[in-house]
Amino acid sequence: MRISDVLRGKGNEVVTVAPSATVAELLGLLAERNVGALPVVADGELVGIVSERDVVRRLHAGGAAVLEARVADLMTSSVTTCSPDDDAAALAGVMTQGRFRHLPVVVDGKLAGIVSIGDLVKTRIDMLEQEREQLQSYIAS
């Protein structure tokens, strides 16, 4: 299974946030889109990623004033990315080992999608279900 298989099932729409956005604006986007992380994009380039965990940790350390901080102040700027041709199972291992749950997909230097560990699991379960159905159909005929 490749990352392109995952994107085919979930789509490649990506909501992004600017590094100049406030943390309060970021939280609004996360809640509105029901996602756990957003790529941070400036001038069309991926410059970071920011997650709910990043916000919670900063809130714990700095209190409510963090809501007025800029996304650039708490984003992870060293972003692990992947391509549509990458093996999903291998990347699930990378995500587990690195303790992150969201992986931007990049093609020719441009953001082309984002996958979560949940997306990888769901796609794998769907594929296993299809295989089971095919085997049952083969046995029954």
Side-chain angles (χ1 to χ4, degrees), residues 101-115:
R101 297 181 292 177
H102 299 86
L103 194 58
V105 182
V106 176
V107 175
D108 296 328
K110 299 291 180 192
L111 190 60
I114 189 166
V115 294

Side-chain angles (χ1 to χ4, degrees), residues 11-29:
N12 58 1
E13 178 189 3
V14 183
V15 178
T16 63
V17 65
S20 60
T22 66
V23 173
E25 292 168 331
L26 165 70
L27 290 173
L29 278 171

Side-chain angles (χ1 to χ4, degrees), residues 23 26-27 30 36-37 49-67 69 73-76 98-102:
V23 173
L26 165 70
L27 290 173
L30 291 171
I49 191 164
V50 63
S51 71
E52 295 167 325
R53 284 183 182 178
D54 296 325
V55 176
V56 168
R57 288 181 179 134
R58 289 295 290 271
L59 277 170
H60 176 71
V66 170
L67 296 174
D73 297 333
L74 62 130
M75 71 181 190
T76 300
R99 300 185 57 84
F100 57 90
R101 297 181 292 177
H102 299 86

Side-chain angles (χ1 to χ4, degrees), residues 27-132:
L27 290 173
L29 278 171
L30 291 171
E32 177 184 307
R33 294 304 187 119
N34 196 29
V35 295
L38 291 176
V40 183
V41 174
D43 299 322
E45 278 197 43
L46 179 67
V47 296
I49 191 164
V50 63
S51 71
E52 295 167 325
R53 284 183 182 178
D54 296 325
V55 176
V56 168
R57 288 181 179 134
R58 289 295 290 271
L59 277 170
H60 176 71
V66 170
L67 296 174
E68 296 307 316
R70 299 288 170 210
V71 167
D73 297 333
L74 62 130
M75 71 181 190
T76 300
S77 55
S78 177
V79 183
T80 301
T81 64
C82 66
S83 81
D85 295 328
D86 287 337
D87 180 70
L91 288 173
V94 168
M95 293 167 80
T96 300
Q97 188 171 26
R99 300 185 57 84
F100 57 90
R101 297 181 292 177
H102 299 86
L103 194 58
V105 182
V106 176
V107 175
D108 296 328
K110 299 291 180 192
L111 190 60
I114 189 166
V115 294
S116 70
I117 195 77
D119 296 329
L120 300 181
V121 169
K122 180 188 180 309
T123 302
R124 182 66 181 139
I125 289 171
D126 291 347
M127 291 178 81
L128 289 170
E129 181 64 23
Q130 286 176 346
E131 288 175 18
R132 184 188 64 78

